[in-house]
Amino acid sequence: MSTESLLSLPVQAPQSVPDTAPLVSRLAESCGATWVDADTIDAWAALGGDRVVLLAGDPVRHPEGLDVAVVLPELQRSLPGRFEVGVVRRHEEEALARRFGSHRWPTLLFLRDGQYVTTLPGMHDWEVFLRKTEEALAAPVSRPPGIGIPLVAAATNGDGCH
């Protein structure tokens, strides 16, 4: 018996990495969340009421996004009827994060009646998460954060700086 035959193993192609983590997909498949993206989020949010969108981020760089994906249905059960959940496929998250001024991963994006309310970034201890979620649900609608450069009208009376 030759040693060559003992070392011959079949070569398999590497498995592709799923675009969206299974725990995030589970929110839509088993927990009643709705898939949203840049094209559908406005119509979904305009359906009314409070809406919370999970921007989980890259699970390798931000593994706590998977923790938030597990905790989010528990928050929804603890606050029954208070909000609907939306989830975003990984390759579509960056566009929504930019649009709503989110710079941290993971983030919960709060919307109400089609308007921006706030974001809740990161993973928290349960009591803190519950309190911050309740605060976000009670907060008034606001303007999404911009890039930090205020727009100022040019002075028409010559008092402008240039």
Side-chain angles (χ1 to χ4, degrees), residues 155-161:
T156 58
N157 61 3
D159 291 339
C161 52

Side-chain angles (χ1 to χ4, degrees), residues 109-155:
L109 166 65
F110 289 80
L111 305 168
R112 180 175 308 118
D113 299 327
Q115 298 181 57
Y116 174 87
V117 176
T118 191
T119 59
L120 175 55
M123 179 63 190
H124 306 275
D125 290 336
W126 174 252
E127 292 299 323
V128 173
F129 224 150
L130 186 58
R131 179 178 47 79
K132 287 181 177 273
T133 300
E134 288 174 321
E135 289 170 0
L137 292 170
V141 297
S142 62
R143 185 178 157 281
I147 59 172
I149 302 172
L151 297 176
V152 179

Side-chain angles (χ1 to χ4, degrees), residues 41-60:
I41 193 166
D42 291 329
W44 176 76
L47 292 174
D50 285 295
R51 310 237 162 200
V52 178
V53 179
L54 172 62
L55 300 172
D58 178 358
V60 174

Side-chain angles (χ1 to χ4, degrees), residues 28-134:
E29 295 162 3
S30 303
C31 299
T34 301
W35 288 109
V36 296
D37 59 30
D39 295 328
T40 62
I41 193 166
D42 291 329
W44 176 76
L47 292 174
D50 285 295
R51 310 237 162 200
V52 178
V53 179
L54 172 62
L55 300 172
D58 178 358
V60 174
R61 292 180 59 208
H62 308 286
E64 61 274 17
L66 300 178
D67 296 333
V68 176
V70 171
V71 171
L72 186 53
E74 298 303 320
L75 287 169
Q76 193 176 32
R77 275 192 278 282
S78 294
L79 301 165
R82 296 284 307 276
F83 63 91
E84 298 295 321
V85 174
V87 289
V88 182
R89 287 180 174 82
R90 177 70 196 109
H91 70 276
E92 297 167 338
E93 287 180 325
E94 189 67 38
L96 285 176
R98 275 194 313 271
R99 176 177 168 191
F100 291 103
S102 178
H103 303 288
R104 292 199 39 216
W105 302 97
T107 291
L108 293 180
L109 166 65
F110 289 80
L111 305 168
R112 180 175 308 118
D113 299 327
Q115 298 181 57
Y116 174 87
V117 176
T118 191
T119 59
L120 175 55
M123 179 63 190
H124 306 275
D125 290 336
W126 174 252
E127 292 299 323
V128 173
F129 224 150
L130 186 58
R131 179 178 47 79
K132 287 181 177 273
T133 300
E134 288 174 321

